[in-house]
Amino acid sequence: MARCILCQSSDVEVVLDLGKMALANKFLTKTELEAGEPAYPLRLAHCSSCGHVQLPDRVPPAAMFEDYLYMSSLSETLVNHLHGLAAAVVDWAKLKPNALVLDIGCNDCTLLEGFRKQRMSVLGMDPAVNLAPVAKQKGIEVVNDFFGLESARKLRERFGPAKAITATNVFPHIPALDDFVAGLDVMLDADGVFVVEAHYLLDLLDQAAFDTIYHEHVSYWSLDAMQKLFNPRGFEVVDCERLPIHHGQLRAFIQRKGVRPASAAVTARLAQEREYGVPERAPLEKLAAQAHEVRRQLRRTLDELKAKGMKVAGYGAPAKGSTLLTFAGVDAGDLQWIADRSPLKQGRYTPDSHIPVVSTERILQDQPDYLLVLAWNFVDEIVRQQADYRSRGGKFILPVPEVKILQ
């Protein structure tokens, strides 16, 4: 068992064991399918000393992020959200035109495009080599590397300090937290702001979103844990906001101590966490029980539909879908295919379950009786996009927080 990623305590206890799984974003080509794939333990653990929720089993980051098949720009909801985030950061920090903004884990630069619209100078950092051409087409400079102390020193030397650094859906991926914060200390201007958006532990618990657990997400952040990370290292959370995007995220504004006082929102959020039972273990034990119940419900639903001769396929191939499918034992015998808008995933097969991923055009071509919505956090957008499918009698299965069917 690894030591706590936050406080280095050895008092880390597993609360949910999801079994061995392949990497959730490693969708396979036909050649790779025949060669087989590695699998790693996937367990959720709680530190009794500091309360941080994390994975005790580590996978080398290069195995997960240097060839990455997720693109932010493929969701209208996410594009609108990220452009709104850019405007919010510029307003909150009162950034002047041409201020340098660095986005860590910039993906296809959707957020940086938003900052560019706000007349900021933009720079991206991402280890995904396959996404670099996308950034180049947009005229945005991206450094292919992981962020940490050494890479931050190189960035500072080339570009100078950043007035704002952002990390959206990236902060839970960081295994070397001390090195990451040391990099922030180098790259962030004296009065600059680091803005995090990360899946929020309270929302994960509220929605029984256990499928959000996969190897990339080594940490499951509460505000309490963020404070315990940043406060001893010269930083503090000075403002925060709970957001509905991605089934619930925490947006936190972090600055060096003394730049500005913490807002009342920080105090209120910490109080709500304590009321909920964070940072204790009990809420996680409830989550584990809910995960097993979803598995039972989904398995029973799919078996009943198969017995009736119904055609069932999937919609959306997010990483979270891989966790759900593998944990519930769903494979190509249950879902004929999964439709996804990402051309990077089309023509490949899901990890572990080996279900073919096809374009969304296949939905109306085949008109399955049911679509299992794996990207259930974007269900409203999906139902809107698939109005024709629904008008022809198609139905949607939502798997989390409990299995239900949308007529």
Side-chain angles (χ1 to χ4, degrees), residues 144-207:
N144 280 131
D145 202 351
F146 291 96
F147 184 82
L149 179 58
E150 288 305 314
S151 60
R153 285 171 174 162
K154 294 174 184 176
L155 288 179
R156 175 79 181 234
E157 185 176 344
R158 284 184 62 191
F159 302 101
K163 282 293 184 181
I165 298 177
T166 52
T168 60
N169 305 305
V170 171
F171 198 56
H173 299 173
I174 310 300
L177 293 173
D178 275 322
D179 184 59
F180 186 89
V181 178
L184 286 179
D185 194 34
V186 167
M187 190 59 195
L188 193 64
D189 209 350
D191 61 348
V193 60
F194 174 48
V195 183
V196 170
E197 281 191 359
H199 289 112
Y200 186 35
L201 180 61
L202 260 61
D203 286 300
L204 185 153
L205 296 170
D206 272 344
Q207 299 174 45

Side-chain angles (χ1 to χ4, degrees), residues 223 240 262-272 274:
L223 182 58
C240 64
S263 73
V266 174
T267 304
R269 174 65 43 218
L270 290 169
Q272 185 178 24
R274 287 192 294 272

Side-chain angles (χ1 to χ4, degrees), residues 51-90:
H52 188 43
V53 181
Q54 59 202 281
L55 301 186
D57 307 292
R58 307 280 189 264
V59 177
M64 296 183 283
F65 301 117
E66 290 186 351
D67 180 37
Y68 205 58
L69 301 181
Y70 174 83
M71 291 200 298
S72 304
S73 60
L74 295 177
S75 165
E76 298 169 16
T77 302
L78 189 53
V79 170
N80 293 334
H81 171 78
L82 291 174
H83 287 191
L85 170 62
V89 171
V90 169

